[in-house]
Amino acid sequence: MEWLPDDVVGHLSKMIDTPDLTGTKYELIEEIGRGGMGAVYLVRDSHLDRVVALKVLDSAETDEFATARMLMEAKILAALEHPGIVPIHDAGTLADGRFYCAMKFVKGTRLDRYAASAARSDLLRVFTRICEPVAFAHVQHVVHCDLKPENIMVGEFGEVLVLDWGIARYEAEPGGLSIAGTRGYMAPEQIRGTFEARSDIYALGRILNFLMPGSNVPKALRAIATKAANSDPGLRYASVPEVSADIARFLDGQPISAYEESLAERAARWIAHHKTLSALLLTYILVRTGIFFAIRR
Amino acid sequence: MNKPVYGLILGGILGIFDGLTAWFTPEVRAGIIGIVIGSTFKGVIAGVCIGYFAKKVNSLPLGILFGLAVGTFLAFLIARMGTENGNHYYFAIMLPGSLVGAIVGYATQKHDVKMGKRAVSSVG
């Protein structure tokens, strides 16, 4: 018996994985990503002459569960029309029996890479933009369940998109949750097999921690992340808008709900936020004091 | 509250406090009431002018500069009058006066007129 060389095996495996787009309006350009259940391809929509991202299940994953899961993702994306959520254009079954979803092709930088070079204030603004689609989804009773920097894209024009709703669920979905998510971003209750909207708030807290590494992070900011990522869901923020409101208050130099600051901290925050006025008042006091001593002399 | 009214109130209040600092100068302490009245009047006039400027020109640096100029000018007019014994405290009056003008300039530029209007419309 003769063994096939590795490169031939690799080529055959790639040929098997390549989706059969016969009979569709899509023309394969290249593979752009691969996940646990399938791959994402860059394809051209020949009818509309535009490139789209085609998410296709692996040939080995054509079982009912995987298909149902991806169909659920497609339905959730179709229900969630929001500028911060990647829109779905089409879904169906390919000639080879694999389920697919055609989505907008998002150009940009993943948050984990973007964070390496962005300023803190920019990252906080991006963070508040992440909160918007998540809050919108929660209003529709959808929980993302896998929020992490790798699933967030910062577009060329500063737009922020939350991706990969593959394990998103409706809050009222019956039955236990199979453990899915990403270690480090999964809420404790999610690991135990349950979930709620506050599970996403936990992940947001962890994302905020990721965005603010190091020891020179302001206490107020650290407090927001700590409250959001509290292991007890009852002690977390009650809703995503509450998290973003605290971030907005921090950016505006206002006191936040997650942290009780001392008088000195309050004064320091006020001075930091009103530098010009503080400088004017200080100058006035110095001038008055100077005049007082000059006249006495 | 529109900017000229805001400037008027703030200028008046700061004028009172600026005038009261004369208490620390024993030579003029006896005439402190007149000083406070004069300082308040100066603050009110400066406040209205600076507030009106802020209404027309939306620029923090220009607002501060205009406040500084108005404060200096009005303080100069007061300093020129001199005290009863003929002394002129140009620096002691003009320097703090100009700074008060600058503070009013800053505050009127930062004052958000829309916030007040929004509150009224939400009630109505």
Side-chain angles (χ1 to χ4, degrees):
Chain A
M1 193 170 75
E2 202 175 320
W3 296 95
L4 288 171
D6 284 352
D7 57 336
V8 174
V9 174
H11 178 71
L12 286 173
S13 169
K14 200 174 174 185
M15 289 300 288
I16 292 166
D17 284 341
T18 304
D20 180 4
L21 302 179
T22 313
T24 68
K25 58 181 179 177
Y26 303 112
E27 296 159 7
L28 186 66
I29 299 174
E30 61 175 330
E31 184 181 311
I32 51 174
R34 182 158 282 279
M37 285 165 66
V40 182
Y41 298 89
L42 186 66
V43 297
R44 176 170 297 282
D45 178 339
S46 57
H47 289 183
L48 297 173
D49 194 26
R50 64 176 177 180
V51 287
V52 295
L54 200 74
K55 193 172 180 180
V56 184
L57 277 179
D58 272 339
S59 50
E61 291 284 355
T62 47
D63 62 276
E64 275 183 26
F65 173 77
T67 306
R69 189 61 253 156
M70 200 158 154
L71 180 63
M72 172 64 89
E73 179 187 0
K75 284 181 174 175
I76 284 174
L77 282 175
L80 298 178
E81 270 190 58
H82 188 277
I85 296 172
V86 185
I88 186 164
H89 300 316
D90 184 18
T93 310
L94 297 176
D96 57 13
R98 294 151 72 183
F99 190 79
Y100 74 91
C101 295
M103 291 177 279
K104 180 186 175 181
F105 173 57
V106 181
K107 289 179 194 165
T109 313
R110 266 172 30 181
L111 183 62
D112 53 326
R113 291 171 191 152
Y114 178 83
S117 56
R120 179 185 289 162
S121 55
D122 289 338
L123 288 174
L124 288 176
R125 282 187 189 94
V126 166
F127 183 81
T128 55
R129 301 284 300 279
I130 299 166
C131 291
E132 291 166 13
V134 178
F136 175 77
H138 287 181
V139 170
Q140 317 290 320
H141 307 290
V142 174
V143 184
H144 187 285
C145 291
D146 195 19
L147 289 171
K148 56 182 176 179
E150 291 85 346
N151 283 345
I152 290 146
M153 191 74 90
V154 182
E156 290 174 310
F157 304 102
E159 68 272 30
V160 177
L161 289 131
V162 176
L163 315 175
D164 202 350
W165 295 72
I167 59 169
R169 281 154 195 270
Y170 281 101
E171 264 186 301
E173 208 171 301
L177 174 75
S178 56
I179 297 170
T182 305
R183 190 173 286 279
Y185 294 92
M186 277 169 84
E189 68 273 15
Q190 222 176 320
I191 295 168
R192 289 194 297 271
T194 60
F195 73 101
E196 55 177 300
R198 289 188 197 205
S199 307
D200 278 348
I201 294 175
Y202 179 91
L204 286 171
R206 301 294 296 172
I207 291 171
L208 187 58
N209 259 330
F210 171 83
L211 296 176
M212 305 291 139
S215 55
N216 63 341
V217 178
K219 281 181 187 170
L221 214 47
R222 189 64 77 209
I224 296 173
T226 306
K227 184 176 177 182
N230 197 301
S231 55
D232 180 353
L235 296 176
R236 287 175 209 154
Y237 287 95
S239 68
V240 177
E242 282 186 23
V243 184
S244 50
D246 247 2
I247 295 286
R249 278 193 283 266
F250 173 82
L251 285 170
D252 285 348
Q254 305 291 325
I256 61 156
S257 72
Y259 182 67
E260 186 110 8
E261 56 190 1
S262 67
L263 198 64
E265 285 171 325
R266 200 174 299 179
R269 179 176 50 75
W270 191 91
I271 289 168
H273 191 65
H274 300 94
K275 287 190 184 84
T276 311
L277 184 59
S278 303
L280 285 171
L281 288 172
L282 184 68
T283 311
Y284 177 83
I285 291 164
L286 288 175
V287 163
R288 271 283 171 223
T289 311
I291 289 168
F292 172 74
F293 284 111
I295 289 175
R296 274 169 71 104
R297 200 183 296 164
Chain B
M1 190 187 296
N2 68 42
K3 291 192 179 213
V5 175
Y6 181 71
L8 180 148
I9 293 169
L10 187 66
I13 292 168
L14 292 181
I16 292 170
F17 283 105
D18 192 40
L20 284 173
T21 57
W23 188 83
F24 295 106
T25 309
E27 293 83 352
V28 294
R29 196 177 287 168
I32 193 158
I33 292 172
I35 290 171
V36 169
I37 290 169
S39 178
T40 308
F41 189 64
K42 171 178 76 85
V44 164
I45 292 171
V48 172
C49 296
I50 297 164
Y52 186 74
F53 180 83
K55 190 181 169 182
K56 296 287 172 193
V57 182
N58 187 18
S59 161
L60 185 62
L62 285 180
I64 292 173
L65 210 65
F66 184 80
L68 200 74
V70 170
T72 309
F73 176 70
L74 292 177
F76 169 75
L77 294 182
I78 287 177
R80 224 179 74 163
M81 289 193 288
T83 57
E84 286 168 351
N85 49 20
N87 288 332
H88 294 277
Y89 294 97
Y90 282 108
F91 277 107
I93 294 172
M94 284 172 66
L95 222 51
S98 61
L99 284 168
V100 169
I103 291 167
V104 177
Y106 173 91
T108 50
Q109 286 290 336
K110 286 279 183 182
H111 177 62
D112 191 358
V113 179
K114 282 179 195 163
M115 265 176 67
K117 278 186 181 169
R118 216 177 288 139
V120 170
S121 63
S122 68
V123 171

